Amino acid sequence: MDKSDSNAAFHMADIRDKRITRRRAVAVGEFLPGAQAFATVVERRLPKGDALVMAEIAGLQGAKMASALMPLCHPLALELVRVRCVPVPARHVIRVYCECATQARTGVEMEALAGVNAALLTLYDLTKPVEPALALGAIRLLFKEGGKKGLWIHPDGIDDDERAHYRPRDLARLDGVPCAVLTLSDRASRGDYVDESGPILREGLQHLGADVQVMRVLADGIEPLSTSLRELAASGIRICLCTGGTGLGARDLSPEALRAVADRRVEGLAEMIRSESAQHTPLAWLSRAEVVQLGGMLVFALPGSPRAARQTMTILAPLLAHALAMIDGRPHA
């Protein structure tokens, strides 16, 4: 490699190891034409034509051209672009919204912001023949969805009309749901090293509001795990995440332990974990991840590395509350 390559001042973010997820972002901005020009715009009497319609078309084009305008922005195949121009007579401003969505390894915030800016500049361009004292402002990301962090809403907030129109959706919550995290490792149980995967899973559950009541490190093998699972199910634990023991080694027996106590297997979730994890690494296909139902408790046997714990928690987070609702016979979104 040329030495100059390693010292490049700029580079696109490496997103190859990120998982493809559904992404959505909504941006907003304001056009401030003043009271007289505002009436001319909303009554569609500008000499160049209907600024509101042309701004919406320009916003669509701007969103699609984001990567051409910003050198480090990843090109994305957008699956949805919607632009709205909403007059606000009380303040003589026009609020412009751009909603973008796709399935990708990176978000669509810049596309939404590019759409808003293109629409605002078009409003400016078509209005300046009748009023040169124009202004643009309050441009910001309203909210974004998807990726490992789920829903993010701008600290300045979102009003009731915006919330009703766009219906931002967060991950389904596990508020107060009793959970357990078990780590399966001979070495960790002997104290040869400190378990890192278990705390990562605990943090992921707590992020969803779960009550993680049990954290244990067990030796590998069928009996320690199967005994613990029966005890946890009897005590009312609803979700148990087990990390470790899903490989091909002689002592990797977590799947066997789950099957020994299971009322039923949940093959679809186990296959999804492998399939989704394979977006990060092809080694995921060597995992023997298993998911079973024991009474009212869902049990997951997950790979044991910290990286795998983060990845699988991200994969499972959108599904856990819905799975429990199905077990309980409750409606779920």
Side-chain angles (χ1 to χ4, degrees), residues 205-325:
L205 289 168
Q206 290 174 337
H207 178 71
L208 297 174
D211 178 14
V212 182
Q213 298 181 356
V214 178
M215 288 282 297
R216 293 178 188 166
V217 178
L218 305 175
D220 287 313
I222 295 176
E223 185 57 32
L225 178 54
S226 60
T227 299
S228 289
L229 292 177
R230 291 189 184 96
E231 293 173 353
L232 293 173
S235 70
I237 295 295
R238 300 302 312 279
I239 294 173
C240 180
L241 302 185
C242 306
T243 173
T246 62
L248 302 180
R251 294 279 292 165
D252 290 330
L253 297 172
S254 293
E256 286 78 6
L258 266 63
R259 289 195 288 268
V261 300
D263 293 325
R264 63 171 68 170
R265 297 175 67 187
V266 189
E267 292 94 339
L269 283 175
E271 190 60 24
M272 184 198 69
I273 292 169
R274 277 185 287 275
S275 178
E276 294 289 310
S277 297
Q279 294 185 29
H280 300 280
T281 171
L283 296 179
W285 294 112
L286 296 175
S287 166
R288 297 190 304 126
E290 183 75 52
V291 183
V292 303
Q293 183 181 344
L294 174 55
M297 181 173 71
L298 274 176
V299 187
F300 298 79
L302 307 174
S305 73
R307 182 184 181 191
R310 291 188 184 92
Q311 292 168 353
T312 51
M313 192 65 236
T314 301
I315 293 167
L316 294 175
L319 301 172
L320 293 174
H322 301 300
L324 291 183

Side-chain angles (χ1 to χ4, degrees), residues 129-149:
V130 301
E131 175 57 76
L134 305 171
L136 311 177
I139 300 168
R140 63 184 173 95
L141 185 66
L142 194 61
F143 71 87
K144 63 177 181 175
E145 299 170 350
K148 65 182 181 180
K149 295 182 179 178

